[in-house]
Amino acid sequence: MRVRVRNVRMLALVLILAFIGQAQAFASVPFQGTGMDAGGFQSTIAADPFHQGVLLSGADVSGFNRSTDTGDTWSLSNGGINDRQLMQTAAIAFSQQTSNKVYSGQGTAGGNGGFVVSTDGGKSWEVRNTSIQFVGGNTKDSSTLPDPHPRSTGNLIALDETNGYIYAGTYKDGVFRSSDDGYTWTYLGLSGSYIRSISLNPADADVLYVAAYGEKLYRMGQAQTSSPSWTQISNSPLYLEELKYIGGKMYAVGGNGSAGKVYRLDFINNANTLTELLSTTGDTIYSAIDGYDGGSQNVIFVGTTNPKANGSMYESVLRSTDGGNVWTAITVNANRIHFEMGTGTNVWWLSQLNPDGMIGKNRFVASYIQVDPFSNNRIYVSGRSGVWKGDIDGSGNVDWHPIVRNMNATFNTAVLADPQQAWRAYVGNTDWGFVYTTDRMENVQANRPATNVDGFALAVDTGTTPSTVYLGTDAGEVYSNPNPN
């Protein structure tokens, strides 16, 4: 009997060791992004000021992607974040003094989010506070926000690293300050206001500007004290979307669905005032801005929502090389807008399915602009669709490429490998309906059965050759295809 017990124990030990070995083998399986390259909205893009070529992109549903080759390829970098609501990114800010430190605001509908920090360049994250809330997704409050309206993302984190302060503009809870690197926060004002952007004066760290949608531009003085002062800029418009200091001057962009505007903040007659630099009529909203000090003049880039038509193309991004006096659209030459991803030869599958969503077309949304800190001749624009890189030649011409390779950023509800046909697989998708691959997900192609149909379930009939594919949709319909390739 003892021999039998010993044998059972030995068998159990062998099985346990085998299970552990199998688990370790599975744990070591490497994963990487597939050819479902960036089907989703990229809210913000940030460039590492210490490491050339390193970028972080924050999406509306999939958190962070990281690139080390100026966007040619990406990898998911959500280590430490295990709540789906914390994967909706509203703002990213790299430290300008501490290498590899990054701050970000996350959340959905002003809840279930928080403030996260990375100390390894965006590879992994620590959730430091969940009391301050942001909106990284497509949230609309019909009581206060007009339609259309850009997303609640952008410059919502301001760093005063010399004095050890971080400022955050939340969705609707007001402006907060942290003195312990984001663990705890002090309320400063504007609770109930819809905060669109904040910007700290680089020449006076006691002054913070805040754009509150529908309430004009605020100047917060004595920002480092427990009782800051608040003043509205008297001639400010009601609808501003983004603030940015460029070359020591602050610029503001916005619009309310009837006129898009670009402004510069000036000090005239002993008062702050906004000087209009650019205006357009219609539904165009200037929703993103960045630039650099060009020496004698600031060079400024602005991005749009509902871009203005310019021939057969649209003014998704404009540039001024003289501080805002003269503006030129840099997305209206179709020959300079390419659909190969980065420096590779793979054509982005979404450019074939959704051409109107590409940069230079009417449905493109510029959510954020980032000038490369190592080269003023390169800019990055995130939004719908994906992230784009613009390389500027010596004559000022800009060549655009989508940089979305392996940036998987959309909701996929089903995936099925075809048991009869090697390397072929099918994906049901909530944005694009149905996509397929014939090369093990290295690349995909779209084959939506009907407009605006979301794919939710898949099945194959192996009784036919090739397999017949069935797709169940959100509309309560079932489609079939004898060979969707």
Side-chain angles (χ1 to χ4, degrees):
M1 185 68 179
R2 270 182 262 171
V3 172
R4 289 177 181 172
V5 170
R6 187 179 299 115
N7 288 342
V8 170
R9 287 174 177 168
M10 287 295 293
L11 178 60
L13 179 61
V14 170
L15 290 174
I16 290 171
L17 291 174
F19 176 79
I20 291 173
Q22 188 179 34
Q24 289 175 336
F26 279 119
S28 64
V29 172
F31 284 89
Q32 65 185 48
T34 68
M36 280 289 294
D37 304 302
F41 198 105
Q42 295 298 304
S43 302
T44 185
I45 179 77
D48 189 328
F50 290 94
H51 302 98
Q52 189 169 2
V54 174
L55 303 173
L56 284 177
S57 181
D60 63 347
V61 296
S62 58
F64 301 97
N65 275 274
R66 187 173 186 268
S67 174
T68 59
D69 53 12
T70 67
D72 278 354
T73 57
W74 297 84
S75 60
L76 205 62
S77 57
N78 287 326
I81 298 177
N82 49 25
D83 186 327
R84 185 173 67 84
Q85 314 299 343
L86 281 166
M87 292 186 184
Q88 300 195 10
T89 306
I92 301 174
F94 271 94
S95 167
Q96 301 298 306
Q97 293 187 2
T98 304
S99 179
N100 290 322
K101 179 168 279 191
V102 198
Y103 303 94
S104 188
Q106 314 292 117
T108 175
N112 304 312
F115 191 78
V116 301
V117 179
S118 174
T119 57
D120 57 8
K123 297 176 185 177
S124 63
W125 301 86
E126 176 191 354
V127 181
R128 292 200 173 172
N129 187 284
T130 57
S131 65
I132 60 170
Q133 298 292 326
F134 304 85
V135 174
N138 191 18
T139 298
K140 179 184 181 299
D141 183 338
S142 59
S143 66
T144 59
L145 303 185
D147 216 0
H149 183 268
R151 300 188 181 203
S152 184
T153 61
N155 291 322
L156 296 167
I157 299 171
L159 305 178
D160 174 13
E161 298 182 272
T162 300
N163 297 299
Y165 293 117
I166 305 171
Y167 297 89
T170 64
Y171 176 55
K172 279 194 171 180
D173 296 328
V175 179
F176 288 79
R177 181 186 64 221
S178 175
S179 60
D180 59 3
D181 214 31
Y183 288 103
T184 61
W185 294 83
T186 300
Y187 169 70
L188 300 177
L190 295 186
S191 177
S193 296
Y194 174 43
I195 308 300
R196 280 300 299 118
S197 186
I198 64 175
S199 188
L200 192 67
N201 187 340
D204 185 352
D206 225 15
V207 175
L208 181 79
Y209 290 94
V210 180
Y213 200 78
E215 300 180 44
K216 298 189 176 184
L217 177 67
Y218 287 92
R219 180 188 187 275
M220 186 180 75
Q222 301 173 318
Q224 301 175 32
T225 70
S226 58
S227 300
S229 61
W230 291 92
T231 306
Q232 279 187 321
I233 307 303
S234 60
N235 77 323
S236 167
L238 293 176
Y239 304 101
L240 292 176
E241 295 292 344
E242 196 76 284
L243 308 176
K244 182 75 175 184
Y245 266 95
I246 301 169
K249 295 182 180 294
M250 197 190 77
Y251 297 85
V253 296
N256 64 354
S258 62
K261 304 280 187 179
V262 179
Y263 301 91
R264 182 183 64 238
L265 184 71
D266 293 317
F267 194 70
I268 300 174
N269 296 328
N270 295 316
N272 285 124
T273 185
L274 288 173
T275 301
E276 184 178 301
L277 302 177
L278 176 64
S279 177
T280 187
T281 58
D283 289 339
T284 296
I285 296 173
Y286 295 112
S287 49
I289 183 169
D290 199 15
Y292 61 90
D293 185 348
S296 60
Q297 297 278 7
N298 287 331
V299 178
I300 309 165
F301 302 92
V302 297
T304 65
T305 296
N306 295 323
K308 177 183 176 182
N310 189 322
S312 63
M313 302 298 288
Y314 289 79
E315 298 180 353
S316 300
V317 182
L318 298 97
R319 175 184 61 203
S320 173
T321 59
D322 61 2
N325 295 310
V326 178
W327 294 86
T328 303
I330 55 175
T331 58
V332 295
N333 185 343
N335 294 326
R336 292 191 174 273
I337 296 178
H338 312 280
F339 300 114
E340 296 85 5
M341 291 177 283
T343 57
T345 58
N346 298 83
V347 174
W348 189 16
W349 64 273
L350 191 60
S351 68
Q352 312 303 307
L353 178 67
N354 186 34
D356 288 343
M358 302 295 105
I359 200 167
K361 288 298 184 177
N362 63 310
R363 296 189 66 247
F364 183 79
V365 171
S367 179
Y368 201 83
I369 296 178
Q370 169 77 75
V371 175
D372 192 308
F374 292 90
S375 172
N376 292 333
N377 290 321
R378 174 170 289 162
I379 66 171
Y380 307 97
V381 182
S382 68
R384 181 199 301 139
S385 301
V387 181
W388 291 75
K389 178 165 57 179
D391 286 314
I392 307 169
D393 66 19
S395 300
N397 300 306
V398 185
D399 280 289
W400 296 96
H401 283 88
I403 48 171
V404 293
R405 186 61 173 161
N406 300 136
M407 180 186 280
N408 296 172
T410 185
F411 277 123
N412 300 299
T413 55
V415 61
L416 185 62
D418 193 319
Q420 283 201 117
Q421 300 173 85
W423 297 4
R424 185 180 288 196
Y426 315 107
V427 178
N429 181 270
T430 60
D431 287 318
W432 312 113
F434 176 88
V435 300
Y436 68 90
T437 178
T438 59
D439 59 4
R440 298 181 297 184
M441 294 298 293
E442 283 295 318
N443 298 278
V444 303
Q445 297 294 326
N447 189 353
R448 174 185 274 170
T451 303
N452 296 326
V453 165
D454 297 343
F456 269 77
L458 291 165
V460 295
D461 179 4
T462 57
T464 64
T465 302
S467 304
T468 299
V469 180
Y470 296 88
L471 175 71
T473 75
D474 63 325
E477 298 168 334
V478 177
Y479 293 85
S480 68
N481 193 315
N483 183 11
N485 180 10

